[in-house]
Each structure stands twice: as structure tokens, then as C-alpha cells.
Amino acid sequence: MKKVLISLFTLIIILGCKNAKVEKTPLAVNYPQTKSIDSVDTYFDTEIKDPYRWLEDDRSTETEDWVKEQNKVTFSYLDKIPFKSKIKNRLEKLWNYEKLTSPFKKGNYTYYYKNDGLQNQYVLYRKNLEGEEEVFLNPNTFSKDGTTSLSTIKFSKDGSLAAYLISEGGSDWRKAIVLDTKTKEVIGDTLVDIKFSDISWKGNEGFYYSSYDKPEGSELSAKTDQHKVYYHKLKTPQSSDELIYGGVETEKHRYVGASVTEDNTYLLISASTSTSGNKLFIKDLSIPNAPLVTILDHTETDSSVIENVDSKLYIVTNLNAPNKKIVTVDAANPTPDNWVDFIPETENVLSPNTGGGYFFAEYMVDAISKVYQYNYNGKLIREVKLPGIGSAGGFGGKKEDKDFYFSFSNYKTPGSYYKYNVESGEYNLYWTPEIDFNSDEYESNQVFYTSKDGTKIPMLITHKKGVELNGKNPTILYGYGGFNISLTPSFSITNAVWMEQGGIYAVPNLRGGGEYGKKWHDAGTKMQKQNVFDDFIAAAEYLIENKYTSSSFLALRGGSNGGLLVGATMTQRPDIAKVALPAVGVLDMLRYHTFTAGAGWAYDYGTANDSKEMFNYLKEYSPVHNVKEGVSYPATMVTTGDHDDRVVPAHSFKFAAELQAKQTGANPTLIRIETNAGHGAGTPVSKTIEQYADIFSFTLFNMGFKTLPNNN
């Protein structure tokens, strides 16, 4: 590819801002050369060229050099944006407040996470019975640059032991370390090569975990598709860990998890071939050499044991109940023909929890939380009147707890914690942040708009009060639409900074998500995936038609499956937005299933090998395969991490290369590659601030701003 010199002439528009400068500011982009190699795959007699296949090799020096050259161009561009430092300074200032998480009791201690303000990772603190505070675990000491993070910690039932998992450089591969909680001394060796796993203790003897055999080739991109459950006995080498499930062909699944019931009576194993649907098994741990008994022998539904009282099991399921329900059954005969409804299905999606001897049923009503409390006989005790309209979470604890904590937040209100008494139903504010952001100056409103096929879609739109609907407001339209994941209201410091600048933040609840249950999810999968893109496009059109913004001031943003959403939308409707921000996206839909655990996403996507019909459908929307010559695409900044082993960065590399080779017009097409970083979890605060300073400055600059809209 020849080097392309593009001059960016930013728009001369005053966006209702007295301080906006209007002079032209050309900004040149001299893209690195990306070589094109003849590589062709044949699907059902159709040849598909893949000229940037070489970028899939994450271990090659050529790919490493390409990353360095692309970053050099991208950061040179970003560093020339005059107000980037102001955005970064504001992010740092607003971020710099004390943050706590909900406390939880383990043994003789109460634990909680705290961040003093700008610490890269939250610190795990604890208090003893006398209320004396100490640091229990400080992930900021794990590595000099803050890129080693704590992914989870699990305590034995009596709280005397803890096992925690760490992630290095953002990778999904984990290491496990065991501590004596009283002395904080490490017990035994560090376990390695653990992936997509929880930790579940069996008494104080040991714990269950899951992993794959280490793949041949690159551990960051090689395919992993046979998950296994192991039991680790304390003070023994990992090499002697007992294989519990997944070692033979008949037990081959991509995702397998194990958990032990709170009373340590039963081992539960869930086995899935994809991200939706699971088999379910149970084993009585009180009987030596007890067999593994099947509860569900197919992966057509999602089911899990949430609680047990002796041999009585309480199971959450969407079997014949798309919005989920709770059923009961005896462990001796646990198959569905013996299930009895406990909390029946309703028209809203159920997400239950237990604590204090009660069940707490959280429902999503148009993506807004409602919570009801039931006793163990299934009797409704009360509706929990929440502090407002938004998202609640954390209703749960041990059976003996009489008080526990729940969280509440929405798009304009920072998350606060409340202490809840299970008997009276009363709660009091436990902690609320002291943050330099006045939520009273903002409003969040839910609207319903009509998608292409007539389906009504909810969307929450948040912004400063009194915003003028003149079509000139910088707006981020954020979406996901997949994997049964629900986007519910939550506060974000980064979004607060965006809204301080007069920005609008809009989040539609697209099909493919879980907001309205399994039917809503399935309506955005496989041969119906286009519904998700249509829903997103219709959201943009609603915002434009109602003068919240216009195409010149609209940015599309999404990550992972949401990165696919942005990539598909911008290639199908390049005219609809000024800026596109696909993050860690699934962008090559013909090859996604060949990397790491990607084949597990086939429930949502299907694969190019399934059928000629499925191949053609994927080819028609795959972002990498739909960048066309002679089209002016939005100003685009692709973002990814070089250690992303969930959605491998090759997706983003190939998409950026296609855009740079074919883009017509003045809009830049850049890729920002975070080094020593993965899919996003555990990203240090310092890196997050830098990322969003770059994202927001790129977005506003390409909307025509020479100074910040709110330049105070």
C-alpha cells in the first residue's frame, strides 16, 4: 500500500459555545505501510481474500513492528489536539476521590475494597471485631506498572483461608495464590495456567478450579476448546491435582465451572459448549466416591442451583420460562420432570440472590431494577423500595446474616451503598462518595423508539438539564446487543466528564441483550443478528430526528461485541455518524471462531463453517470484509490491547488496515494499541485515564471543536 497523506480540515461550526474557535486547523496523517499478502480461503466454493492474515501472528517481529509504527502515528496525531491535556486533567481531578465497595464478612473479619483516588488497583482492606483496620491485599504492589491485577478472591467457609487469582498484562490466563488469612502467609505453591475460572472451596481441605491444557503456539491466540475442572488439595503440587470433569471426549465442553454449596454438601458442575445454555450435574460430597448425577443433559437452557436446604435444591432456570423462574427439587431425583415452581416466571426478567434466610428477586422492568423479598416457603414478604430509578445490586449474603449491603446507581448518580435489615426491610445509607460532580444538574430520561421492523426499543438519554435540542450537541451512542448481557444504568466517571462538556450519553437496550429475557436475546443472534445493527441505526436516527444531535456531532461507541456493533454500523451506514470508536471488537466474522475460546460464541453468531447460508450471512456484515473503496467512513479510532486473549487484537489490526487502505476523504482512521493490556478487566486507572483522554479529545476534535465546549 502506498503511503497516503490525508489533510484533516476540521469543521468551522460554533456549537452554541461562546469560546469555540473557528479557524481551520489541518492535521496530516501519514499512515505506515501495511503490506498485502495473497492469502485466500474458500468457503462453499466462494474465495475470500485475506491480505492481512499475517497480522494474526502475535509473536512475529513484523506484527510487533507494525504495532509500534501504528502507535507512533496515532499518538503523534493525538498529541497535537490542543485540549487533550485539559480533558486528562479533568479526568484525573474527578477520578481522585475515595471509593469503597460493599463490605462482606469472612470469619472474624469484615473485608472491603478501597481506592484512595488514583490508585491503579483497588486495595483489599479488613477490620477485626474491634474495628481495627489493616491492608489485607494490595494489588498495586504486584507489579511496578500496575498491570498485574487481582481478578477474584474466595474465602473458605470459616474465613481462615483465601485463594486469589491474578492477571498479568490483562491476560485471561491466571495464577492462583493461597493465604492463611490470620498470618497472611502464602500456603503451598502458586498454581498457574488457570483460565475462565472461579475458585470454590471444599471445607479447608482444598478447592475446585477450571482451566484448559496450555495450547501449542501462542497462548494469546491459539484455540482453546476443552475446559476441565480440577480439585487442588492444599500443600500438594499442582501436578497432582485431581481431574474432576472434562478429561474425556464425552465430557468435552468449552466452558466448565464447579461450585460447592454453602453447607459444603454438594458439588455442582455446569458444562457449556457456548456462552448460552448449560448442562448441570451434582455430586454428594458427604458420600465417599459418590457418582456425578445429571440434573440437565442438554445445553438448550440456562440453569443453576442458587440454594439448598438439606437435599432440597432451588434452581434458577429459563427452561420453559424465557424470563427465568425458580424451581425446587430433591437432589435424589433432580431431573426437570420432578421440578416444582417456587417463584414462577413473570413478564420481567428475574435475577435472584439469597441472604439472611430469604430470597431476593431482582427484576428488570425496561432495564430498571425492582426487588422483591421472599421467604423459603415462597411467600412474598415485601417489595424493597429502592432509593430511586436505576440499578440495584448485591442483595445477598450468608443465611445467618441479619444485615447486608446493596448498591444503587444510575447514569447520573455515583454508586452508593446501603445497609439492609432483612427482618424489618429498613435500610440506611452506609456510604456515598464525595465527588466533584453535581448530579442534580443532570437528567436521565428513558424513551422508546421504533426499529426497522417495528420493534419498540428502550433508550436512556442522559445530559445536563436545560440542554438545547438544536442538533449540535456532541453525543456518544453506546451499545452492546449480545450474549444475553443487559445494559442497566450505572455511573461512570468518564461519562460524567463527557456530560460536563455538554455531551449527551445515550444507551439503547438492543436486541441480543438480556433486558427482556431469552426471546430478546435470541432475536439478535445468528441469522437475526442484523436486528441488532438495525436497532442501533434506529437509535441514531431517533437522536438526529429529535434534534438531540446530528450526524456531524454523533459518535458510535462499543466494546467487544459492541465493537462488532460499531464496525457493522459504520460500514453499513457510513453517513450516520461523524466518529466511530470500536473497542476490542469482534471484527472478522469469518475467522473469529479459530482464536482462543472464540468458537464458544457460536450461539450468538453462528460460524462460516456451519452452512453456506450462515457463511453468506456473516460475510454480508463482517466489518473486515465490508470496507469498500471510495467510501468516506467516519473519523475512526480503533482501540485494542496487545495482550487481549479473549478478542484477539488481530481483529482490530485487520480492520484498521482495511480502513487505512480504502478510506476516501479527510476523516482519519487510526488504531490505538495499548501495550501490556488485555480485554479491559484490571486495566490500571492511569491507563484508563489516558485512554479516555485520547478517546474524548479525538471525538470532539473531529466534530470540529478547537477548544472544549465548556472551556472554563
Side-chain angles (χ1 to χ4, degrees):
M1 185 186 86
K2 295 181 179 179
K3 287 189 177 181
V4 181
L5 185 65
I6 294 181
S7 294
L8 172 64
F9 292 97
T10 49
L11 301 173
I12 312 171
I13 300 175
I14 300 176
L15 305 177
C17 174
K18 296 179 180 179
N19 295 322
K21 295 182 180 179
V22 297
E23 70 269 15
K24 293 182 180 180
T25 308
L27 200 56
V29 183
N30 194 9
Y31 298 121
Q33 287 187 345
T34 304
K35 68 178 180 179
S36 176
I37 296 178
D38 290 336
S39 178
V40 178
D41 289 319
T42 301
Y43 301 86
F44 304 100
D45 299 322
T46 300
E47 290 189 347
I48 300 294
K49 294 181 179 180
D50 194 1
Y52 305 116
R53 174 78 60 86
W54 62 274
L55 287 169
E56 293 179 2
D57 186 354
D58 54 79
R59 297 184 298 172
S60 77
T61 55
E62 282 187 304
T63 301
E64 183 180 355
D65 290 342
W66 185 87
V67 167
K68 290 178 181 177
E69 290 302 310
Q70 289 288 343
N71 271 345
K72 187 184 298 182
V73 169
T74 296
F75 288 113
S76 175
Y77 179 100
L78 294 169
D79 288 344
K80 292 183 177 71
I81 297 176
F83 46 76
K84 190 183 85 164
S85 60
K86 286 189 175 182
I87 294 178
K88 183 181 178 182
N89 291 340
R90 180 54 184 156
L91 281 165
E92 287 180 340
K93 183 178 179 182
L94 191 57
W95 214 297
N96 193 13
Y97 68 94
E98 185 180 71
K99 307 167 193 70
L100 293 180
T101 65
S102 180
F104 55 96
K105 296 177 182 177
K106 296 294 178 182
N108 294 324
Y109 296 93
T110 297
Y111 293 84
Y112 51 93
Y113 292 90
K114 183 168 70 173
N115 190 307
D116 291 340
L118 294 173
Q119 290 174 289
N120 277 325
Q121 307 289 344
Y122 276 69
V123 178
L124 181 56
Y125 287 81
R126 69 181 181 183
K127 289 182 179 179
N128 60 20
L129 297 176
E130 288 73 41
E132 297 169 330
E133 182 184 68
E134 67 172 334
V135 172
F136 180 68
L137 204 57
N138 184 0
N140 295 293
T141 65
F142 291 174
S143 62
K144 290 182 179 180
D145 61 359
T147 59
T148 299
S149 60
L150 173 66
S151 60
T152 190
I153 184 167
K154 289 299 173 70
F155 293 81
S156 60
K157 185 178 180 181
D158 67 4
S160 65
L161 298 167
Y164 66 93
L165 298 178
I166 62 171
S167 167
E168 296 171 313
S171 172
D172 280 332
W173 291 99
R174 307 287 195 246
K175 293 179 179 178
I177 300 167
V178 183
L179 295 178
D180 178 312
T181 59
K182 184 177 180 180
T183 64
K184 295 188 280 188
E185 292 180 355
V186 175
I187 297 174
D189 297 331
T190 296
L191 277 63
V192 298
D193 298 337
I194 298 173
K195 190 171 185 180
F196 296 153
S197 178
D198 202 353
I199 295 290
S200 190
W201 284 90
K202 177 186 176 184
N204 290 342
E205 307 162 20
F207 56 83
Y208 297 90
Y209 68 93
S210 306
S211 194
Y212 305 91
D213 293 338
K214 207 64 177 288
E216 296 181 6
S218 170
E219 69 176 57
L220 294 179
S221 58
K223 189 173 183 178
T224 50
D225 64 356
Q226 185 157 356
H227 217 196
K228 301 176 182 180
V229 169
Y230 294 90
Y231 174 71
H232 175 70
K233 186 176 181 180
L234 291 189
K235 298 182 181 180
T236 65
Q238 186 177 5
S239 58
S240 64
D241 287 355
E242 181 185 359
L243 176 61
I244 303 298
Y245 186 89
V248 296
E249 188 65 26
T250 55
E251 296 177 352
K252 183 177 180 180
H253 296 83
R254 292 192 181 93
Y255 311 106
V256 180
S259 61
V260 178
T261 56
E262 187 178 333
D263 61 3
N264 267 271
T265 300
Y266 297 105
L267 171 67
L268 304 162
I269 291 180
S270 171
S272 307
T273 56
S274 191
T275 49
S276 289
N278 66 286
K279 297 176 183 177
L280 190 60
F281 308 95
I282 188 169
K283 180 178 182 178
D284 191 335
L285 295 176
S286 66
I287 302 175
N289 302 314
L292 199 62
V293 176
T294 300
I295 298 177
L296 271 174
D297 62 357
H298 61 80
T299 59
E300 296 169 10
T301 64
D302 300 282
S303 301
S304 62
V305 176
I306 188 177
E307 177 65 290
N308 73 293
V309 176
D310 298 324
S311 65
K312 185 177 184 179
L313 306 178
Y314 294 81
I315 299 174
V316 184
T317 183
N318 59 11
L319 178 63
N320 301 319
N323 291 336
K324 292 190 177 181
K325 63 181 178 179
I326 301 178
V327 299
T328 60
V329 71
D330 193 274
N333 296 288
T335 52
D337 51 316
N338 297 308
W339 290 2
V340 176
D341 282 4
F342 174 67
I343 297 180
E345 181 190 23
T346 72
E347 62 181 5
N348 299 307
V349 180
L350 170 65
S351 299
N353 209 340
T354 63
Y358 292 94
F359 285 83
F360 291 86
E362 180 188 344
Y363 292 94
M364 275 187 293
V365 182
D366 297 329
I368 305 300
S369 293
K370 284 188 178 295
V371 180
Y372 298 86
Q373 181 176 345
Y374 292 84
N375 66 18
Y376 273 59
N377 295 319
K379 178 184 177 182
L380 176 63
I381 303 301
R382 64 177 62 89
E383 177 184 355
V384 180
K385 299 297 184 181
L386 297 174
I389 297 174
S391 300
F395 280 91
K398 295 180 180 179
K399 286 181 182 176
E400 62 267 24
D401 290 344
K402 295 307 174 187
D403 299 283
F404 56 68
Y405 302 84
F406 72 89
S407 62
F408 181 81
S409 177
N410 55 38
Y411 285 122
K412 69 183 185 69
T413 307
S416 298
Y417 294 98
Y418 297 83
K419 187 175 183 179
Y420 181 84
N421 182 273
V422 296
E423 299 301 336
S424 68
E426 296 178 353
Y427 59 83
N428 298 298
L429 180 64
Y430 168 75
W431 178 85
T432 191
E434 295 181 7
I435 181 173
D436 184 24
F437 179 79
N438 185 0
S439 60
D440 292 337
E441 295 178 358
Y442 297 81
E443 59 182 302
S444 191
N445 300 300
Q446 188 173 57
V447 301
F448 288 82
Y449 65 91
T450 304
S451 191
K452 184 178 181 179
D453 65 354
T455 302
K456 293 292 185 182
I457 312 293
M459 176 164 58
L460 275 164
I461 306 173
T462 311
H463 51 74
K464 279 186 176 180
K465 291 179 179 177
V467 67
E468 183 180 354
L469 300 185
N470 58 7
K472 297 180 179 180
N473 300 299
T475 299
I476 290 177
L477 178 62
Y478 180 88
Y480 189 80
F483 296 92
N484 200 38
I485 291 173
S486 302
L487 296 186
T488 56
S490 62
F491 181 78
S492 161
I493 298 168
T494 55
N495 292 339
V497 170
W498 175 257
M499 292 188 296
E500 281 183 336
Q501 292 299 324
I504 291 175
Y505 186 70
V507 182
N509 297 109
L510 313 173
R511 282 175 284 185
E515 291 86 352
Y516 294 104
K518 186 171 176 57
K519 291 180 180 178
W520 192 255
H521 174 208
D522 288 347
T525 61
K526 294 188 177 73
M527 303 291 286
Q528 299 186 90
K529 187 64 179 177
Q530 184 60 41
N531 285 338
V532 186
F533 313 139
D534 290 341
D535 291 354
F536 200 52
I537 291 168
E541 290 174 336
Y542 177 92
L543 293 169
I544 293 167
E545 289 168 4
N546 288 275
K547 302 297 184 182
Y548 286 95
T549 191
S550 63
S551 295
S552 297
F553 303 106
L554 179 63
L556 309 176
R557 178 159 171 76
S560 196
N561 176 74
L564 164 63
L565 173 68
V566 174
T569 301
M570 65 180 283
T571 50
Q572 292 182 16
R573 285 291 305 275
D575 62 313
I576 205 161
K578 180 61 180 176
V579 177
L581 302 164
V584 293
V586 187
L587 298 162
D588 183 342
M589 299 309 297
L590 302 186
R591 285 181 56 76
Y592 78 87
H593 60 291
T594 65
F595 305 112
T596 62
W601 311 334
Y603 182 95
D604 267 56
Y605 299 144
T607 76
N609 300 328
D610 289 346
S611 66
K612 185 175 183 179
E613 184 183 29
M614 193 72 250
F615 156 69
N616 284 324
Y617 192 87
L618 288 166
K619 178 172 67 71
E620 286 303 306
Y621 77 76
S622 176
V624 164
H625 300 93
N626 283 280
V627 180
K628 297 179 173 61
E629 297 273 6
V631 176
S632 178
Y633 292 101
T636 303
M637 186 162 70
V638 181
T639 53
T640 188
D642 67 344
H643 278 61
D644 190 343
D645 50 358
R646 193 171 309 175
V647 180
V648 295
H651 286 276
S652 296
F653 295 173
K654 292 163 74 171
F655 188 54
E658 290 284 352
L659 285 170
Q660 289 178 0
K662 297 175 180 177
Q663 169 75 302
T664 297
N667 292 331
T669 53
L670 305 176
I671 180 168
R672 185 190 189 282
I673 306 154
E674 191 69 66
T675 56
N676 205 26
H679 200 60
T683 302
V685 166
S686 57
K687 283 183 178 286
T688 301
I689 288 173
E690 290 171 358
Q691 289 169 4
Y692 276 92
D694 289 344
I695 289 166
F696 289 162
S697 59
F698 177 86
T699 299
L700 290 170
F701 188 76
N702 281 285
M703 289 176 176
F705 290 93
K706 307 305 177 292
T707 61
L708 289 176
N710 181 12
N711 199 30
N712 297 326

